[in-house]
Structures are given as structure tokens and as C-alpha cells.
Amino acid sequence: MSKPRKPKGRPVSGWLILDKPVDFGSTEAVSKIKWLFNAQKAGHAGTLDPLASGMLPIALGDATKTVPYVMDGRKIYEFTVTWGEERSTDDLEGEVTQSSEARPTEEAIRALLPKYTGVISQVPPQFSAIKIAGERAYDLARDGEAVEIPSREVEVFRLTLIKCETDRAWFEVECGKGTYVRSLARDFGRELGCYGHISELRRSFVAPFAEETMVPLAELVALEKIEDRDERLAALDAFLIDTGEALSGLPHIVITEDQAHRLRMGNPILLRGRNAPVSEADAFATAGGKLVAIGEIGEGEFRPRRVFT
């Protein structure tokens, strides 16, 4: 029997909150960060279009186990809508499909915003990662197929008009998982009778990571000039955020090292004490300040689903 392959790279773990530049794809960004950190595993929490900039949380190593919890978090985007044209991709990248000489007034735009706040029904763009009969919508769109994408409910917590000019308007939106800002621009334009598309898009927040935690890609790439490998990797690792920070919105229990050992073996532990949680679908446990496991609490037990070394 052949020996299992040894993983390439370091078993480094943590979150890197990248400030992704424009014209750089999310998958390309993950590959670059994985290479820079010489990491065994890497993944991101929520795609940013190539024409969008801003926060792209990238998980390395064990942090990839916490990606779903970041994917579910609130997000804040700043975006510009240019009026007069609807495009196939709902942003600058696509071909013009509809045009109009009409332009909306600031009053008309402001009157529209309450309709797009709260739980709303939204049709994702034709060029999106939504799966249609097992295939990505953007692959079908590139092949020239016009597909019917079903609408779905998303939540918009806050939608603000920042500035308005004749041909453009600037907005900020705080929204939940699955919201397409490109769809907002498209739908604004249709309802205002002037058409519209995204001409600038920047993500400034992905819960629970603050804007000031973002690191520009150029700052990381600049460290390549450090010739000493250990020194270079140490400089890069200084930008990493602890894996457990991704779970700050979940209930937290502190356990002993003996309990941690049991959890790492896949066994449940008993929770005692007056303040012990009774029932939680998702919670995390730490020992000595280190993340040990994510699991559920029920019937006086913490049952691990994901464990961390």
C-alpha cells in the first residue's frame, strides 16, 4: 500500500483580511495568498467580482472550517450606479442591452429606497454563480443562453443615498447573505425608467471583521523582497487574525485541557454549573485561549462537529 501524500506547504492557520484590488479575481487572490504564505489550505468567504474592490476574508488552514460562519455574516458595500444603460453583466464589464436618455431626480431615487429595504425579493444577475440545472449561470450566459433565474428573498438592513449627480448616484448598503448589489442597480434603473448598472463597487465590511483589519495586496507582495524565508513568513504571519475571531457572534464556552482532549477525540463533554448553556445549535469551545471545537449544546452536553488542532 502506498503511503499517503504529505500535504504541500505549512500547516499555518488564521484569517487574512485582504483589501482586494480591482481587476483581480477572488480565486486568483486566494491562490496568491496561499502561495505567499506557503499554506497547505486556503479559501475565501464570499466572492468579490473582478471589477469590485475591498474586503475579501481569506481563511488559511484550520480557519477554512469557519468559512460558513463568515459567509452568513452581514456585509457593507459602497457602490456607484451609472444611469442610462443596462448591461448584460449589470456592471461595466458587460455589453449594453438597454439604453435611455431619461435621468432620475434625487427625489425619485430617495422615494425608491424604502421599497428595497427589509426582506425583498431579488433575481440574481444572469452572470452569477447561481446553479441552474447543475450549471453555473455565468457559464450558461457566456455560451449565449438566456436562462430564467428564480427570484429569492434577501435582507437589506440599511440603504443610503450618499451623493447624486445627473448621470450617477452613490449608495451604501448593509445587507445579508446572498444579496447581489448588481441586481439592486439593475432594478433601480428599471423602476426609475432610465436603466442603470454598477460602475464602482467596494466591500468595506464582512462580519465580524472590521474595515481597519484589511491589508492591501501590494503590502503583502512587497514582503517578497525579504530574502530570508523564515523572516519573510514571520512578517506575513503577523497579519493573520486568530481563527476563533470568525466565531465571535456564537455562544462561547471555556473548557479545561482534559475536556479539550476529549473533544479533539470526537467525544462530547458534560457541561456543569448554573451558567452552563442549555441548548444552542451552534457554539464554540476554547481552552487556554485557543479554539478547540465548534459544535452544538443539548441535554447538558457539548457535542463537537468540527475540531481544531
Side-chain angles (χ1 to χ4, degrees):
M1 181 183 291
S2 61
K3 290 183 179 180
R5 276 174 145 188
K6 187 179 179 181
K8 290 182 179 179
R10 300 186 298 150
V12 59
S13 293
W15 282 91
L16 187 282
I17 313 305
L18 182 69
D19 188 346
K20 187 190 82 65
V22 172
D23 291 332
F24 204 71
S26 295
T27 302
E28 185 182 1
V30 171
S31 296
K32 181 67 174 179
I33 296 304
K34 183 181 179 184
W35 179 81
L36 279 172
F37 282 79
N38 189 31
Q40 288 180 358
K41 289 191 296 184
H44 67 73
T47 301
L48 265 184
D49 297 331
L51 293 182
S53 68
M55 187 177 288
L56 181 67
I58 296 178
L60 301 180
D62 264 359
T64 56
K65 298 175 184 177
T66 64
V67 163
Y69 300 94
V70 179
M71 294 278 283
D72 287 344
R74 292 191 184 200
K75 299 166 182 66
I76 296 176
Y77 296 89
E78 299 152 8
F79 64 103
T80 305
V81 180
T82 294
W83 310 116
E85 292 178 347
E86 185 169 304
R87 297 189 174 220
S88 57
T89 57
D90 299 316
D91 64 14
L92 278 174
E93 202 170 32
E95 298 176 355
V96 176
T97 56
Q98 302 280 358
S99 62
S100 171
E101 296 298 321
R103 296 294 182 268
T105 63
E106 182 174 337
E107 292 72 25
I109 296 170
R110 290 192 184 279
L112 190 66
L113 300 188
K115 183 176 178 179
Y116 289 90
T117 307
V119 177
I120 65 170
S121 180
Q122 183 183 76
V123 177
Q126 288 282 315
F127 283 81
S128 64
I130 301 295
K131 282 195 171 182
I132 306 293
E135 293 193 63
R136 298 289 185 188
Y138 54 66
D139 287 330
L140 297 171
R142 287 184 188 121
D143 290 339
E145 290 188 48
V147 296
E148 188 171 337
I149 302 177
S151 63
R152 59 184 185 173
E153 286 191 344
V154 296
E155 190 164 9
V156 175
F157 304 101
R158 176 174 57 85
L159 180 57
T160 309
L161 176 64
I162 305 298
K163 189 171 73 169
C164 189
E165 294 179 356
T166 302
D167 291 325
R168 293 181 293 176
W170 287 259
F171 301 86
E172 183 175 80
V173 62
E174 182 176 357
C175 55
K177 179 182 179 181
T179 306
Y180 277 93
V181 182
R182 285 182 289 143
S183 292
L184 290 177
R186 177 200 65 207
D187 294 343
F188 289 175
R190 288 178 181 178
E191 192 143 351
L192 291 166
C194 62
Y195 301 116
H197 63 275
I198 291 282
S199 50
E200 291 178 304
L201 177 61
R202 179 169 177 80
R203 187 160 67 192
S204 59
F205 175 75
V206 178
F209 302 116
E211 187 172 6
E212 54 267 23
T213 61
M214 280 196 286
V215 184
L217 180 63
E219 193 170 335
L220 299 170
V221 171
L223 297 177
E224 289 185 67
K225 68 177 183 289
I226 300 176
E227 293 183 7
D228 184 87
R229 179 180 181 275
D230 291 342
E231 185 183 342
R232 182 175 67 255
L233 292 175
L236 287 164
D237 289 351
F239 288 106
L240 292 179
I241 293 174
D242 186 75
T243 297
E245 290 296 314
L247 306 172
S248 59
L250 298 182
H252 174 207
I253 62 168
V254 178
I255 59 174
T256 67
E257 290 296 340
D258 285 343
Q259 289 174 314
H261 179 71
R262 282 190 57 80
L263 289 180
R264 290 191 179 108
M265 298 295 288
N267 299 312
I269 58 171
L270 291 174
L271 300 178
R272 296 187 176 90
R274 184 183 305 172
N275 297 321
V278 177
S279 178
E280 296 288 352
D282 289 292
F284 70 102
T286 62
K290 298 292 185 182
L291 180 61
V292 176
I294 303 171
E296 63 179 318
I297 297 172
E299 299 174 343
E301 289 184 334
F302 180 93
R303 305 176 189 121
R305 286 198 303 270
R306 294 272 194 172
V307 296
F308 298 81
T309 56

